[in-house]
Each structure stands twice: as structure tokens, then as C-alpha cells.
Amino acid sequence: QVQLVQSGGGLVQTGGSLRLSCAASGRTFSNWNMGWFRQAPGKEREFVAAIARSGGNTYYADSVKGRFIISRDNAKNTAYLQMNTLKPEDTAVYYCAGNTRVIFFGKVVSTAAEYVYWGQGTQVTVSS
């Protein structure tokens, strides 16, 4: 049984930083592309960032490009999202997700429906 367990998050002031972690168990983590999504109250879930199986390719939403960094450590079965220069509009519940597609293409990895495995979500709140 696959599990994605998230940690990190919390409350931070505007301009601050946070790091989210997503630890996987149950299957071969290195076979998955990993993504991060977020959902703010009253809004639809939106794509944040994705990273290919090997970690060699990454893809970001325009809203976080240059501020967030996605990474992974396949030896630890863990993906990370380093969030810098946080803004109040980054406030949301953040979810990590894994997909088993072979390809790594922006339109695919940014689509929530392409992901099979999901973490439990973690709240990130940025105060102004």
C-alpha cells in the first residue's frame, strides 16, 4: 500500500521561508514523477511544481517560479518543496502527489488528474 506522508508547513510572515517534506512508502519512489499542488479556501486545487523521477527535470507554476524549489532524494524516498519569499496569496493547504507516467511534460505533470498517489495535505499560512 502506497503512502505519502507530509510534514512541515505552519505559520510564517510575509517574506519568510518554509520547507515541506513528503515521505513515500510502499512502492518504488524513484519510478514516480512527484508534484506539489495547493488549494486555498473557496478555490480549486492548483499546480505548484513537479519533478521528474531522476530529479533532472523540474516544472513550476508561473506564480511560484523563482521563489519555490522542488527537489527529491530517492535514497530517502522523499520529495521537498522549499518555499521562499512567501506571500499572503501562497496561503493554502499543500499536497504532494505521485504519478507513474513515463513522460515528464508540463501539461501532464501540472494536471492533478494525472496523479495516483496523494499526501494528506498540510496547511501553510502566510501573514501580512
Side-chain angles (χ1 to χ4, degrees), residues 58-121:
T58 57
Y59 185 70
Y60 294 92
D62 288 343
S63 59
V64 306
K65 202 174 294 183
R67 299 188 298 123
F68 290 12
I69 301 171
I70 188 171
S71 62
R72 65 190 297 160
D73 185 338
N74 286 345
K76 295 183 178 179
N77 286 358
T78 302
Y80 305 95
L81 185 68
Q82 177 66 42
M83 303 183 293
N84 302 318
T85 319
L86 282 160
K87 305 175 181 179
E89 51 263 44
D90 294 318
T91 295
V93 176
Y94 283 71
Y95 298 89
C96 67
N99 86 53
T100 58
R101 294 288 294 270
V102 174
I103 60 172
F104 186 84
F105 178 62
K107 191 169 183 178
V108 173
V109 297
S110 61
T111 300
E114 292 287 344
Y115 289 80
V116 179
Y117 309 117
W118 287 87
Q120 80 277 17

Side-chain angles (χ1 to χ4, degrees), residues 12-73:
V12 66
Q13 290 186 332
T14 296
S17 297
L18 285 173
R19 189 175 84 156
L20 306 182
S21 298
C22 175
S25 63
R27 294 289 179 91
T28 308
F29 177 74
S30 60
N31 285 344
W32 311 340
N33 297 320
M34 293 298 295
W36 288 92
F37 291 77
R38 66 187 181 186
Q39 188 165 18
K43 295 188 176 181
E44 293 187 355
R45 190 169 297 191
E46 67 172 358
F47 169 74
V48 176
I51 188 166
R53 300 170 172 209
S54 65
N57 288 322
T58 57
Y59 185 70
Y60 294 92
D62 288 343
S63 59
V64 306
K65 202 174 294 183
R67 299 188 298 123
F68 290 12
I69 301 171
I70 188 171
S71 62
R72 65 190 297 160
D73 185 338

